[in-house]
Amino acid sequence: MKVVLHIGAHLTGTSTFQDYMHRHVAPLQEAGVRYWGPQQTRGGLFRGLFPEPLNALVRDARRRAEGRVKLRLRAVEASGAQTLIVSDANMAGPLGDMIDDNRLYGGIAGRMARFARAFEGYPTTVVFSPRSLERYWSSALSHGVACGHTIPDRDKLRAIAQSLRGWREVITDLARALPGVEIRVMPFENFIGRSEVFLARAADVDAPKDMDRAWLNPAPNLAALRRALIARGIAGAVLPFGMDRWNPFTPEENAALRETYADDMMWLVAGADGLATLTEDQARTRAGTTLPAGAQTQGHADEHEERQVARPG
């Protein structure tokens, strides 16, 4: 049985994809495909894999967690499954931690090394979706403020924009943590809103056509953010006037983020030093720094349960 780990990134349509998988469980099972989403992965399946206060009270918590995952894997394989799709962006690391750190997934190597042990013995492909950085960070910070983080000050925004850590560094860390594992990089802009195409290209399976497309969990706009602040006793006037999405960066900072993403994409197109494969939909043009026509008005699909994992700043 082949295992496909869809590890995000956050804010790249993961919840829309997970909804698609949930709605098509029956035809996927007929095709030999099984699916684990946040309901399974955050329902205790991975508990103990990572150092946490509660895990310290359990003897051999990590070994027990690895055994639990392997038992579930054997059960899925015994059911006749040929492919298992596991989708949860928190595998790469909590979004709240990334906002606090001002950088992209600083702990991804250590986290994925632990998942490698849990899934050892099964041919594994890792699927990762980068996104244009100025939109990615704007969405991340919007969700953070909506979930209780403080509004980022100029120093924080400058640190994010000037960070030397782009998607290239994230993917490099990922590859070093998973030697010999195939990494498919599927840019958000190239697959936005087409879950069946994403599944087909990610897992090499016949994907059921989606007749009921949905756009789930759009990033909160300025009006929603003002309401969230007022509910916490903070004047909504601290945010800019308007109803559109919030972009807290200056034009110069946006330009720096776009340049970093362009460099990341050039590296991927050039072969990513043999560490990963850029997987694109040939029916579309190569991913760029802006969304396809029409997508900007439909909303940005974000992580399904992010309001439960972002932490107050």
Side-chain angles (χ1 to χ4, degrees), residues 130 167-168 187 258-273 278 280 286-289:
W167 296 121
R168 174 176 180 169
R258 285 194 295 269
E259 182 177 0
T260 298
Y261 186 59
D263 290 343
D264 293 340
M265 291 303 299
M266 288 180 62
W267 174 72
L268 286 163
V269 170
D273 298 328
L278 179 61
E280 297 182 287
R286 177 160 289 135
T289 57

Side-chain angles (χ1 to χ4, degrees), residues 101-155:
D101 294 343
N102 301 337
R103 61 175 186 157
L104 299 169
Y105 298 107
I108 193 170
R111 292 182 65 87
M112 293 311 301
R114 289 174 181 253
F115 281 115
R117 285 178 56 92
F119 287 91
E120 187 176 12
Y122 290 85
T124 302
T125 297
V126 170
V127 177
F128 188 78
S129 294
R131 179 183 181 181
S132 182
L133 284 169
E134 81 276 13
R135 287 188 177 273
Y136 182 83
W137 275 112
S138 293
S139 292
L141 294 172
S142 295
H143 274 276
V145 170
C147 297
H149 283 255
T150 58
I151 296 176
D153 57 23
R154 290 296 335 144
D155 288 341

